[in-house]
Amino acid sequence: MKAKKVIVIGAGMGGLAAAIDLARLGHQVEVVERAAAVGGKMRQVPVGDTAIDGGPTVFTMKWVFDGLFEDAGLALDDHLALLPATILARHAWCQGGNLDLFADRDASAEAIRDFAGPADAAGYLAFCKRSASIYETLRGPFIASQRPNPIELVARVGFNKLGAMWETAPHQTMWGALGTYFRDPRLKQLFGRYATYCGSSPFAAPATLMLVSHVEQEGVWRVDGGMAKVAQALESLAISQGVTFHFQSDVERIETRNGRVSGIALTSGVTMQADAIVFNGDISALGRGLLGPDAVPAAKPVALPQRSQSAITWCATATTSGLNLAHHTVLFSDDYKAEFQDVFARQRPPQAPTIYVCAQDRDDACTPPDRPERLLILMNAPANGDSQTYGPDAEAQAKESAWSMMANCGLRLSVDHEQATTPQGFNALFPASGGALYGRANHGPMASFQRPGARSGIAGLYLAGGSAHPGPGIPMAALSGRLAAARIQTDFLTD
Ligand SMILES: Cc1cc2nc3c(=O)[nH]c(=O)nc-3n(C[C@H](O)[C@H](O)[C@H](O)COP(=O)(O)OP(=O)(O)OC[C@H]3O[C@@H](n4cnc5c(N)ncnc54)[C@H](O)[C@@H]3O)c2cc1C
């Protein structure tokens, strides 16, 4: 096949993965990115005289990145120093109790036995078995494949495996399913929180999302040098395959001719021609007309009630006392349901939020550095950053809730420098999302099928990223890029 010209709009995980595969297949690939560097949500925030990871911090599903490098004849481990975590996360509750989850399942079961008794320890092992089985059923046929409809999914899994399909439990809520494994409400909270990895509520998400827990069980890695190194490693891989990058280049318009994409126009006035285009921004930007009128039919925007969660984050340098932080620590309130009612029904930041803290300078020994340490502090928030102003008062109120929740769980902070990002800020960074960080929420049995696949509604325009199939998270977004590249290649071959 003659080499084609492909433009990738956006250098997030999905855009980078698509660019790498397309260049490896021999196409002429140009990545056009509004920001000054690769990474998208995987961004570093300058704070004081340092930089803090202000996006993803939990690196999982290493096999996705191994595959991307291996297919290019290289090895991920030669380009990125990944350190396997022995403590997956530390958890603390304001009503009392601390619990570490470990990479070693038996160590976690023992910790749960001490924390909540033998019945819940046995429940945990049964839960692990079930979440592993859901993941095994869906990994090939759904996660790593082009988006199926429900019937196609059943066919791919195999008509002789209807039992395994039933076990994936899309008909049951995650919260309901967790009740069959855990008696202690704190454990339901801990494992229900995995729904928020897709920006969803455990009270509305299908039990299928229990698989996220298995993903962590398969391995969590810390990245030596910080998460930005992941994006930089993909950028280097892309360049080695022949990809060209254009930074600080904002795409204003996708243009079509005779119903097919023909190129793009930048806000600077520069135009570029293309045989195919991959869009790595939030899919709602297309349907909302942010990429011009020609691109509106490409994808339906996600309306506010269907959006996943946003967040309010603080990147801070601070000295901590009280609770000893692990690299990943989660601090829980005593009323989990109220948090999701605030975020999804009342559309306001939770009054008693769950707080996630990434203590980026700590390893498995959990020793703080001998200087103020770098923290990412995150609370869930509604994705209303395009309709709600988050001024200094709203920010101060959110901070008060977050800091008092941390204090209630025994953690005190003395902050040197901090930089907050609200849903309004996330919406500005990722336009048309309202600040939703994970596309559409996974609420209800059909939500996973409602994310668009790689082909958009316009010939020659393809979708890659966390708002498209198979969904959010750095490995999933990377997979969506690989799926877009594969789709483009098959379409080029058959055009
Ligand atoms: C605070 C936070 C914490 C998270 N924690 C985790 C975690 O621990 N683990 C995990 O796996 N995932 C986590 N995630 C989710 C994960 O970061 C995302 O799912 C993933 O990085 C999204 O990648 P993407 O391919 O969708 O691209 P994005 O990161 O959304 O990047 C899209 C890129 O497109 C560019 N772009 C858009 N429109 C245009 C245009 N018109 N012109 C030019 N460029 C454009 C943008 O500037 C951006 O760089 C987190 C996300 C956030 C924000």
Side-chain angles (χ1 to χ4, degrees), residues 147-447:
R147 192 200 62 176
N149 64 35
I151 304 289
E152 284 164 345
L153 178 60
V154 172
R156 281 184 199 171
V157 170
F159 289 106
N160 57 341
K161 292 196 183 142
L162 289 178
M165 247 339 271
W166 182 253
E167 282 276 292
T168 65
H171 50 281
Q172 201 181 3
T173 67
M174 191 162 172
W175 194 256
L178 288 170
T180 60
Y181 298 101
F182 302 107
R183 293 187 204 167
D184 190 316
R186 295 171 300 176
L187 292 173
K188 283 175 74 178
Q189 223 173 349
L190 189 163
F191 291 102
R193 181 175 163 272
Y194 284 115
T196 67
Y197 283 37
C198 302
S200 305
S201 158
F203 299 92
T208 320
L209 288 193
M210 296 192 319
L211 69 80
V212 181
S213 162
H214 180 73
V215 163
E216 276 206 355
Q217 196 69 63
E218 281 207 323
V220 172
W221 286 264
R222 277 180 288 109
V223 181
D224 194 16
M227 295 299 288
K229 295 277 181 206
V230 177
Q232 287 160 10
L234 296 190
E235 180 186 19
S236 302
L237 175 59
I239 291 170
S240 76
Q241 303 301 300
V243 174
T244 310
F245 284 87
H246 306 270
F247 292 109
Q248 294 176 312
S249 302
D250 198 347
V251 179
E252 185 176 57
R253 246 179 11 259
I254 293 173
E255 293 173 337
T256 61
R257 199 179 308 125
N258 302 326
R260 189 185 165 84
V261 292
S262 55
I264 59 168
L266 305 183
T267 49
S268 62
V270 169
T271 58
M272 296 164 81
Q273 303 300 304
D275 297 305
I277 295 174
V278 177
F279 183 67
N280 178 220
D282 191 289
I283 57 143
S284 290
L286 296 164
R288 291 227 152 75
L290 299 194
L291 278 296
D294 288 10
V296 168
K300 257 179 79 178
V302 179
L304 175 56
Q306 277 79 47
R307 285 177 184 161
S308 60
Q309 295 183 129
S310 186
I312 301 176
T313 61
W314 292 268
C315 289
T317 50
T319 310
T320 68
S321 57
L323 179 78
N324 191 35
L325 290 169
H327 190 85
H328 304 286
T329 302
V330 185
L331 309 163
F332 285 110
S333 74
D334 57 359
D335 186 353
Y336 211 31
K337 195 163 198 173
E339 170 165 354
F340 295 98
Q341 277 169 343
D342 276 343
V343 171
F344 287 104
R346 301 191 187 101
Q347 293 287 329
R348 66 181 188 197
Q351 297 191 325
T354 297
I355 304 295
Y356 164 75
V357 183
C358 178
Q360 306 185 3
D361 300 311
R362 299 192 186 209
D363 59 16
D364 279 334
C366 307
T367 314
D370 51 11
R371 57 178 191 285
E373 58 184 314
R374 298 176 307 149
L375 304 176
L376 168 67
I377 300 162
L378 180 150
M379 67 187 262
N380 298 324
N384 56 4
D386 50 353
S387 55
Q388 181 83 31
T389 307
Y390 284 79
D393 287 353
E395 216 178 288
Q397 204 179 330
K399 184 174 171 185
E400 161 65 25
S401 319
W403 261 244
S404 68
M405 179 55 63
M406 288 190 274
N408 289 344
C409 292
L411 175 65
R412 284 175 301 282
L413 301 184
S414 164
V415 173
D416 265 21
H417 299 280
E418 69 184 40
Q419 181 71 49
T421 308
T422 65
Q424 201 179 343
F426 281 118
N427 181 62
L429 287 166
F430 310 108
S433 64
L437 300 174
Y438 314 90
R440 173 185 281 274
N442 272 65
H443 289 169
M446 292 304 289

Side-chain angles (χ1 to χ4, degrees), residues 96-113:
N98 288 359
L99 176 67
D100 283 358
L101 273 197
F102 300 96
D104 181 285
R105 185 169 310 176
D106 293 334
S108 294
E110 211 175 302
I112 290 174
R113 188 175 301 111

